[in-house]
Amino acid sequence: MYSIAIHGGAGAVPRHTLSAERETHYRDGLAAALDLGYAVLEKGGSSLDAVTAAVRTLEENPLFNAGRGAALTQDGAAELDAAIMEGRQQRAGAVAAVRHVRNPIELARRVMEKSRHVLLVGSGAEEFALEEGLELVPNTWFRTEERRAQLESERSGRPVSDLVPSSQGTVGAVALDAAGDLAAATSTGGMTNKRQGRVGDSPIVGAGTYAKNGVCAVSATGHGEYFIRAVAAHHICAAVEYRGLTLREAVYDLLRKRLPELGGKGGVIAIDRGGGIVTEFSTEGMFRGARDSSGLRKIDIY
Ligand code: ASP
């Protein structure tokens, strides 16, 4: 059994404002990432390679809030966070507040595989990217007209989604490969109008991203401050491991109990040790996709 799930952010676009044409673009973007990740698993590749490929594809797609198309900071720049974790040895790598790395998920993976560290931020992370020969781009490369308009609307007090302040489109992937290894990856531009230097849950191991073989792999999306305080991804895996909840029960426990207690909302994608996929959210929608070796393949928004 092998399986993969991806998300393109919770919050979605309010249903009444999403045109059929735009919905098709979102679905196509999700399908491309899902199928690319699945192809890795199908060829006997690792869950780590599958989630890297899926997230990288979404980073390249300007519709999503990661890599190109990232949400913009107060000062109008893109500042990116990403993390990756594998479940066998529970190695992890993450980067935060980088402004020039074209694919932050690749840098997170290098941090995991080529450095002695787990989390590198800002200029130190970018120095490491240079040393590793990763592609660096001017910050303008990430900025889209749409994100500029969102920043303007946030500044004028009209948030664009049901997440306040708005984000939309963080991306993530979780996978189980044929060898039984789990992996999770998340990448984001964070939240529109965030302060410079603000770091969300995505690159924080246990908050936005977590994987442990025999238990589960989780990638989260939503208002990051709450996900950090709830240690959301770990909360789910701990509920499975120590309280004996099913993955679905554990996800509900987070989204319907723990996060509301704190005042937060969002969504998660998760896979259990048997490859069972759960995708749930407490927002209006969550861009998401799931595919497994038993023939499941679906893309959903609401
Ligand atoms: N969790 C992300 C953050 O707070 C945003 C999102 O998922 O929409 O940085």
Side-chain angles (χ1 to χ4, degrees):
M1 174 71 170
Y2 46 89
S3 56
I4 181 166
I6 61 165
H7 70 77
V13 174
R15 198 174 224 159
H16 62 277
T17 64
L18 185 63
S19 68
E21 193 193 347
R22 212 169 143 77
E23 177 170 343
T24 303
H25 290 316
Y26 277 112
R27 286 181 178 275
D28 289 350
L30 290 168
L34 183 70
D35 293 341
L36 199 75
Y38 186 78
V40 172
L41 299 173
E42 209 171 22
K43 286 187 212 115
S46 69
S47 53
L48 206 47
D49 284 344
V51 296
T52 306
V55 167
R56 190 185 186 287
T57 304
L58 293 167
E59 284 179 341
E60 290 288 311
N61 187 331
L63 286 176
F64 297 99
N65 172 17
R68 195 157 128 73
L72 303 177
T73 60
Q74 265 181 355
D75 61 339
E79 231 174 55
L80 313 167
D81 302 339
I84 191 162
M85 185 166 188
E86 56 89 12
R88 188 193 295 199
Q89 296 169 262
Q90 292 205 283
R91 291 176 305 152
V95 296
V98 295
R99 288 184 169 219
H100 302 287
V101 180
R102 177 163 172 162
N103 294 110
I105 199 61
E106 286 187 349
L107 182 57
R109 181 142 177 200
R110 298 291 174 106
V111 170
M112 179 177 90
E113 291 179 334
K114 302 273 182 65
S115 84
R116 296 173 288 122
H117 307 297
V118 168
L119 172 61
L120 292 180
V121 307
S123 58
E126 292 186 319
E127 189 66 36
F128 182 62
L130 259 180
E131 285 172 23
E132 285 295 313
L134 293 186
E135 186 175 352
L136 300 186
V137 292
N139 195 262
T140 46
W141 191 85
F142 298 109
R143 304 181 204 159
T144 61
E145 222 9 85
E146 190 163 5
R147 293 295 179 193
R148 270 191 209 106
Q150 280 184 355
L151 180 60
E152 275 320 305
S153 115
E154 279 286 337
R155 279 176 175 152
S156 64
R158 284 180 287 111
V160 285
S161 84
D162 63 343
L163 281 176
V164 183
S166 80
S167 52
Q168 293 180 6
T170 289
V171 310
V174 289
L176 175 79
D177 60 30
D181 289 325
L182 287 163
T186 313
S187 182
T188 187
M191 306 186 95
T192 300
N193 205 25
K194 68 182 181 181
R195 283 191 73 98
Q196 236 179 289
R198 178 266 188 187
V199 175
D201 59 312
S202 310
I204 307 298
V205 171
T209 309
Y210 194 72
K212 185 173 186 183
N213 271 15
V215 185
C216 62
V218 178
S219 172
T221 167
H223 199 145
E225 278 69 10
Y226 296 98
F227 281 73
I228 294 174
R229 290 163 57 205
V231 204
H234 185 263
H235 179 96
I236 291 170
C237 292
V240 170
E241 188 173 10
Y242 306 127
R243 292 171 60 198
L245 302 194
T246 64
L247 183 61
R248 183 167 301 281
E249 288 167 347
V251 166
Y252 283 168
D253 191 70
L254 176 83
L255 292 175
R256 296 183 180 175
K257 228 176 115 208
R258 188 66 192 120
L259 279 177
E261 274 166 14
L262 298 175
K265 52 184 176 172
V268 300
I269 54 168
I271 291 191
D272 66 23
R273 64 180 179 178
I277 295 170
V278 175
T279 62
E280 278 296 335
F281 47 95
S282 53
T283 46
E284 185 175 350
M286 178 172 75
F287 298 104
R288 62 199 187 279
R291 192 166 174 190
D292 72 22
S293 52
S294 74
L296 168 85
R297 183 182 181 281
K298 57 180 187 155
I299 307 281
D300 289 301
I301 300 177
Y302 299 99

